[in-house]
């Protein structure tokens, strides 16, 4: 897969992650009570060709978010596996910027659609995805570790 282009602005940038980002990704994961990625999972996502980790850095080069997306070899579908934005960086459009950067990278990799799962009670994330054109297509009862329901969302990625 090709790397996502860096997106720079006065507020920071989105870049492709590397093994040097493991600790920063794990620190973000630790901010949330459930469904955390393990060190092993983070290392794998940063190392395998069918995954890409995008890192959001603020203007001070502090990691404030990340997104993991996957693509099976030969598939035209991208799957957003995880999006995390530090609570202190919320409201600064990092989630939106990460998703848009993923869509750009997925299109460049030949993907025609993107999918993801989101907690049904995560109204902020659902609003963001709706704003970006994702449609809720399936309810996933008891999907999350704590028994919470999820929703599957999809979006076409026209070239």
């Amino acid at each position: 897969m090709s790397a996502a282009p860096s997106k720079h602005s006065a507020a920071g940038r989105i870049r492709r992650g590397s093994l040097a980002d493991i600790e920063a990704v794990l620190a973000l994961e630790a901010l949330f009570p459930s469904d955390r990625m393990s060190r092993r999972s983070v290392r794998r996502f940063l190392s395998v060709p069918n995954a890409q980790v995008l890192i959001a850095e603020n203007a001070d080069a502090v990691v404030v978010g990340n997104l993991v997306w996957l693509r099976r070899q030969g598939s035209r579908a991208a799957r957003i596996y995880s999006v995390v934005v530090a609570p202190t960086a919320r409201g600064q459009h990092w989630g939106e910027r990460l998703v848009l950067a993923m869509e750009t990278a997925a299109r460049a990799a030949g993907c025609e659609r993107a999918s993801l799962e989101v907690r049904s009670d995560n109204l902020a994330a659902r609003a963001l995805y709706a704003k970006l054109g994702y449609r809720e297509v399936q309810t996933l009862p008891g999907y999350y570790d704590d028994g919470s329901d999820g929703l599957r969302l999809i979006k076409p990625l026209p070239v």
Side-chain angles (χ1 to χ4, degrees), residues 31-86:
L31 298 172
F32 298 91
S34 66
D35 298 308
R36 293 185 200 142
M37 286 189 288
S38 67
R39 177 178 298 276
R40 182 178 176 194
S41 291
V42 172
R43 177 179 296 280
R44 188 181 81 236
F45 288 138
L46 286 163
S47 303
V48 298
N50 68 325
Q52 197 172 109
V53 179
L54 300 177
I55 301 292
E57 289 182 338
N58 68 15
D60 297 321
V62 173
V63 175
V64 295
N66 68 72
L67 180 149
V68 177
W69 71 279
L70 311 169
R71 177 178 175 233
R72 288 191 178 110
Q73 187 165 349
S75 173
R76 297 262 186 214
R79 177 174 176 245
I80 297 175
Y81 180 79
S82 174
V83 180
V84 179
V85 175

Side-chain angles (χ1 to χ4, degrees), residues 100-138:
L100 292 173
M102 180 285 306
E103 290 176 1
T104 298
R107 279 187 198 94
C111 294
E112 297 173 349
R113 66 188 172 285
S115 68
L116 62 98
E117 293 79 33
V118 65
R119 289 175 67 100
S120 60
D121 61 0
N122 189 340
L123 300 181
R126 288 174 65 187
L128 169 65
Y129 295 129
K131 173 185 171 185
L132 295 176
Y134 287 81
R135 289 184 306 109
E136 297 176 2
V137 296
Q138 184 180 8

Side-chain angles (χ1 to χ4, degrees), residues 147-158:
S148 294
D149 293 343
L151 297 166
R152 179 159 293 126
L153 284 66
I154 61 167
K155 177 183 178 179
L157 296 177

Side-chain angles (χ1 to χ4, degrees), residues 6-9 11-15 55-59 61 94 97:
S6 291
K7 304 283 183 182
H8 293 272
S9 78
R13 69 180 182 147
I14 305 293
R15 63 173 173 79
I55 301 292
E57 289 182 338
N58 68 15
W94 287 112
R97 290 175 64 190

